[in-house]
Amino acid sequence: MAANEEDSALVKLELACSDLRTLLQSSAKLEKDLEEMEKKFDSIDEKLSTAAKRVAPLQSLAMAAKALETRINRAVSPALGLLHSFKLSESFQKKLIELSDKLSIEKNPRKRLKKLLKYVQCVDQLNEVINLISRDGEPVIQKLQEVVEFLSRTKATDQYRTQRLKETLITLKALYESEVDAMRFDGLLDEALLNLQDEFEIMLQQMKHQNTGEQQAYEEADQTLVSDLGTEMEVQVLRRIAETLSASDCLDICIDIFVKVRYRRAAKALMRLNPDYLRTYTPEEIDEMQWESLETAISLWIQHFELAVKTVFVSEKKLCKQVLGGLPEVLIWLECFVKIADKIMAVFFRFGEGVARSNREPQKLFKLLEMFDSLEKLKLEFTEIFEGESGADICIRFRELEKLLVHASSKVFWEFGLQIEGTSDFFAPQQDGSVPKLVRYAVNYLKYLTTETYSAPMAKVFRTEQMWKAGILSKPETDENLLKDAISNIMEALQRNIESKSSSYKDKILPHIFVMNTYWYIYMRSRNTELGKLIGEQYMKQKYKSAAEESAYMYQWRAWRPLVRLLEKEESEEQDNGTKATAAFVRGKLEAFFNRFDEISQRHARGYSIPDADLREQLREATVKLVVPVYSEFLNAHSKLLSGESYVSPESLKGLVGQVFNGTDRTSNGKPKRRDSKGTVPGRNSVSVEGELKNFRRSRSKSIDA
């Protein structure tokens, strides 16, 4: 077994050696093949190097050609674009001429607006092309010139091509230098811009305000009427024209046209109201005006000022924003609006300032308050209309006018109080004891002032003035208290005036008649009115009605009490119990009584006046109650002595007393004046006091003669 194993190992060893020999043979062959391949690679490398050396000049030429092509294209392509722009310019100019011809013959307004809009679009296109030529022309020519110089210097192409390129450059340069300025300033574009300016002005002139009289009627009905001045199409065309003019360096011209035309239109709209009063505006000229004329002028000023702000200027501002709001200068439209309104507002302001600075006559107070109240109501709207920095100057002048009106109103009011006190020293009281004109004027003045129309503005004037004096942070009184205190001061001044005048009478009865008439007038004219409510009805009764009643009592005591005393019983009559009283003594008393009665009647007829019918009736009744019972008692006490004698009966005496208060009153020139039927006593016979007394005297003389 061992031998077999050895044989087997030898066989394997031989096989391994055989394989090794075969491997060595293959390796030798591979080495030989590699050597041959290396030789082939060396040969190929040598050939490639030779080819590369041969191709290198061609590659440089290709790169140079590519660079030259790029350089030429950079110059030629913009030049071709410039030539194309010249062609576009020519086509747009032809189109403009066609549209201009169509515009000139078109009569339909709406169709004409559409054609005008196309005309504006064409002008924009032409302007854009010309701007493009102007902007790109010089750089394009410069690049083309550089290429020509490069080709001439490097001789990169043949002489023929270089020469042709030079000629093209010269032609393009000449065209640019000769045509661009002409197209911009002297050509069809300039003519088109002039046409647009004319169209712009014509369209603005055609936009009119509605009839201002109708607008004023709407304002009086508390309705706001703000109309569009143009149609949507008209506004669109105007806006496009404005933008075109602005883009063509004609913005200043556009603004001048707009402001000039719209100012004239706004002024003409207001001139339809015939504001001739605005020509008079200095304080001296206003002082020379008749009061009725000035009153009318101020009323018109208030109406026209409100109309101008609420309608005319609102419409003008809206148009400014619609037409000029799209311009690059954002706030230019506001400045234009202020320019339009400034001159018109200046005319209104100077009239208002002239009124505020004129003489401070009492009757001006109400018109000053109306002006102030109208400005207060317009303040918020006015500030909104004249907004921004451009409207600051107009708003400042508006506030200055308000300050002037506050100052003037306050001065007029307080100077009126001073005038009331001052008249007590310079003017004599009424000679017949009637109510002075000053009192009548003052009471009606204050009644008018406390009405709803004037009380609120007057209180606001007082509050504003108080804030100026005490500062904004102060706490002013309520409007009602401020007005009440101010009017109470005037009433106190009036009372002092009355008391001062009453003390200047020489007649002992007239002061009481004067005070009675005056205080009764104040009370009766003030009760159940806003004046009475403001001061207080109870206060008015205590202050004025009580004073009038007290004076009435003193009048009766002074005028009629002495008459009654003549018929009162004396102690001697009571002791004698009528035995010593003779008919002559009794008739003497009656004679004295009627003489005194006649004297009182004459004084009332010639020197005393009680204008108020109700007051006269009350005094008549009180006098009848005072006199007639005493007279009746006297007749009854001496009826035996007077039997068969003719004498005035108590009923007749009652009528005679009524005749004293028969409703006649003297006017300022001393002549009798018949009052209304309220002052007469119903059922009274139309016999005079003097006639009754004469009849009594005749009957008495006949009795004595008998």
Side-chain angles (χ1 to χ4, degrees), residues 12-13 23 108 141 230 266 350 391 477 509-510 544 601:
K12 291 179 179 178
L13 181 61
L23 181 62
N108 186 286
I141 293 172
R350 72 183 185 183
E477 297 182 26
I509 299 174
L510 269 176
Y544 300 106
S601 299

Side-chain angles (χ1 to χ4, degrees), residues 283-344:
E284 296 77 16
E285 290 174 331
I286 289 173
D287 288 336
E288 293 176 359
M289 291 178 67
Q290 295 292 330
W291 168 243
E292 291 77 9
S293 301
L294 179 59
E295 190 176 21
T296 303
I298 294 174
S299 298
L300 290 174
W301 181 89
I302 293 170
Q303 296 172 12
H304 297 171
F305 190 94
E306 185 176 357
L307 180 66
V309 172
K310 284 188 172 183
T311 57
V312 175
F313 290 148
V314 169
S315 298
E316 289 295 341
K317 183 179 180 182
K318 185 177 181 181
L319 183 64
C320 281
K321 188 173 183 179
Q322 288 174 330
V323 176
L324 305 177
L327 299 181
E329 294 78 358
V330 181
L331 298 179
I332 193 70
W333 69 272
L334 266 178
E335 295 177 5
C336 290
F337 167 66
V338 171
K339 288 179 181 178
I340 293 168
D342 185 57
K343 291 181 180 179
I344 298 174

Side-chain angles (χ1 to χ4, degrees), residues 356-580:
R357 291 190 173 104
S358 61
N359 288 339
R360 299 185 179 99
E361 299 170 352
Q363 67 269 22
K364 281 186 183 176
L365 176 61
F366 302 103
K367 286 301 173 184
L368 290 171
L369 291 177
E370 288 177 14
M371 293 171 70
F372 172 72
D373 189 45
S374 69
L375 294 185
E376 279 292 299
K377 290 177 181 177
L378 282 174
K379 182 184 290 185
L380 181 60
E381 194 169 357
F382 192 91
T383 306
E384 290 176 354
I385 292 173
F386 296 98
E387 60 182 322
E389 185 179 353
S390 55
D393 290 340
I394 292 181
C395 289
I396 289 173
R397 196 161 181 186
F398 180 89
R399 290 192 294 270
E400 289 299 323
L401 177 56
E402 271 201 312
K403 290 179 182 178
L404 284 173
L405 291 172
V406 167
H407 181 73
S409 301
S410 177
K411 285 290 185 183
V412 169
F413 181 84
W414 294 119
E415 287 182 9
F416 177 59
L418 295 175
Q419 289 173 8
I420 290 175
E421 292 210 51
T423 56
S424 59
D425 297 328
F426 298 103
F427 296 95
Q430 300 294 101
Q431 295 302 311
D432 57 358
S434 59
V435 182
K437 290 182 180 179
L438 175 64
V439 174
R440 295 175 185 273
Y441 183 83
V443 171
N444 288 302
Y445 190 89
L446 296 178
K447 277 176 62 180
Y448 202 48
L449 185 60
T450 52
T451 57
E452 185 178 358
T453 305
Y454 299 105
S455 58
M458 190 75 252
K460 192 160 190 176
V461 165
F462 290 142
R463 185 173 72 249
T464 304
E465 193 176 47
Q466 189 181 58
M467 290 176 64
W468 289 348
K469 293 178 181 178
I472 299 176
L473 300 177
S474 63
K475 293 182 178 179
E477 297 182 26
T478 62
D479 289 357
E480 184 177 354
N481 287 339
L482 286 170
L483 187 60
K484 180 179 179 181
D485 292 343
I487 289 181
S488 296
N489 287 334
I490 300 294
M491 295 293 284
E492 289 173 5
L494 191 60
Q495 185 178 357
R496 289 191 291 270
N497 181 283
I498 294 168
E499 297 298 332
S500 174
K501 281 185 167 55
S502 66
S503 63
S504 63
Y505 282 105
K506 295 180 180 180
D507 189 299
K508 293 182 180 181
I509 299 174
L510 269 176
H512 305 299
I513 294 177
F514 171 74
V515 174
M516 173 187 67
N517 282 331
T518 306
Y519 283 146
W520 186 259
Y521 178 88
I522 293 173
Y523 171 70
M524 293 300 292
R525 293 299 183 277
S526 301
R527 69 173 186 170
N528 300 327
T529 65
E530 296 299 329
L531 175 60
K533 292 176 184 177
L534 180 67
I535 297 178
E537 295 287 354
Q538 194 62 31
Y539 177 83
M540 294 294 295
K541 285 182 179 179
Q542 294 174 356
K543 190 78 172 177
Y544 300 106
K545 186 180 180 183
S546 297
E549 290 172 345
E550 182 180 349
S551 296
Y553 174 78
M554 292 303 299
Y555 151 75
Q556 196 174 48
W557 181 266
R558 290 281 187 181
W560 297 98
R561 185 63 183 170
L563 178 67
V564 172
R565 285 202 191 101
L566 293 175
L567 298 181
E568 289 179 348
K569 288 184 179 181
E570 298 179 2
E571 293 181 3
S572 58
E573 290 183 66
E574 293 178 358
Q575 291 174 359
D576 294 339
N577 198 18
T579 56
K580 294 183 179 181

Side-chain angles (χ1 to χ4, degrees), residues 190-207 237-239 241-246 249-266 316 319-320 323-324 327 332-333 335-337 339-340 343:
D190 184 65
E191 184 179 344
L193 291 174
L194 291 174
N195 290 337
L196 287 183
Q197 292 172 20
D198 294 338
E199 293 287 346
F200 192 66
E201 184 172 356
I202 291 170
M203 289 184 67
L204 288 172
Q205 286 176 343
Q206 291 173 346
M207 291 183 172
V237 172
L238 284 171
R239 185 184 182 94
I241 292 176
E243 291 171 353
T244 299
L245 293 175
S246 175
D249 296 329
C250 297
L251 178 60
D252 292 341
I253 298 174
C254 173
I255 291 173
D256 288 342
I257 293 172
F258 191 93
V259 171
K260 178 186 69 175
V261 175
R262 293 318 307 167
Y263 164 73
R264 289 177 180 173
R265 273 295 165 206
E316 289 295 341
L319 183 64
C320 281
V323 176
L324 305 177
L327 299 181
I332 193 70
W333 69 272
E335 295 177 5
C336 290
F337 167 66
K339 288 179 181 178
I340 293 168
K343 291 181 180 179

Side-chain angles (χ1 to χ4, degrees), residues 67-199:
L68 181 61
E69 180 184 5
T70 302
R71 190 162 189 172
I72 291 173
N73 286 338
R74 285 178 181 174
V76 172
S77 295
L80 293 174
L82 184 62
L83 291 173
H84 180 67
S85 296
F86 274 110
K87 290 180 180 180
L88 282 177
S89 170
E90 186 177 358
S91 66
F92 287 141
Q93 290 182 40
K94 290 179 180 179
K95 187 177 179 181
L96 271 180
I97 294 172
E98 293 175 2
L99 289 172
S100 179
D101 293 338
K102 291 179 180 179
L103 271 176
S104 61
I105 61 175
E106 184 60 63
K107 302 300 181 182
N108 186 286
R110 186 167 183 82
K111 291 182 179 179
R112 193 175 190 282
L113 284 175
K114 290 181 179 180
K115 287 184 172 59
L116 182 58
L117 191 59
K118 291 181 181 179
Y119 186 84
V120 174
Q121 292 171 348
C122 189
V123 172
D124 288 338
Q125 292 170 338
L126 177 59
N127 188 36
E128 185 179 354
V129 169
I130 292 175
N131 287 336
L132 183 66
I133 294 172
S134 177
R135 183 191 66 198
D136 297 341
E138 288 187 5
V140 167
I141 293 172
Q142 182 65 30
K143 288 179 181 179
L144 194 59
Q145 186 171 357
E146 290 174 358
V147 168
V148 170
E149 291 175 354
F150 175 76
L151 292 176
S152 300
R153 185 174 63 253
T154 60
K155 297 182 179 179
T157 185
D158 59 275
Q159 187 176 1
Y160 173 73
R161 288 190 176 90
T162 303
Q163 183 62 30
R164 192 170 65 180
L165 194 59
K166 282 183 181 180
E167 292 174 356
T168 302
L169 172 63
I170 293 170
T171 303
L172 186 61
K173 189 174 182 180
L175 179 65
Y176 174 78
E177 291 176 350
S178 61
E179 292 294 328
V180 171
D181 287 342
M183 285 191 296
R184 290 185 65 188
F185 304 113
D186 299 321
L188 195 59
L189 177 63
D190 184 65
E191 184 179 344
L193 291 174
L194 291 174
N195 290 337
L196 287 183
Q197 292 172 20
D198 294 338
E199 293 287 346

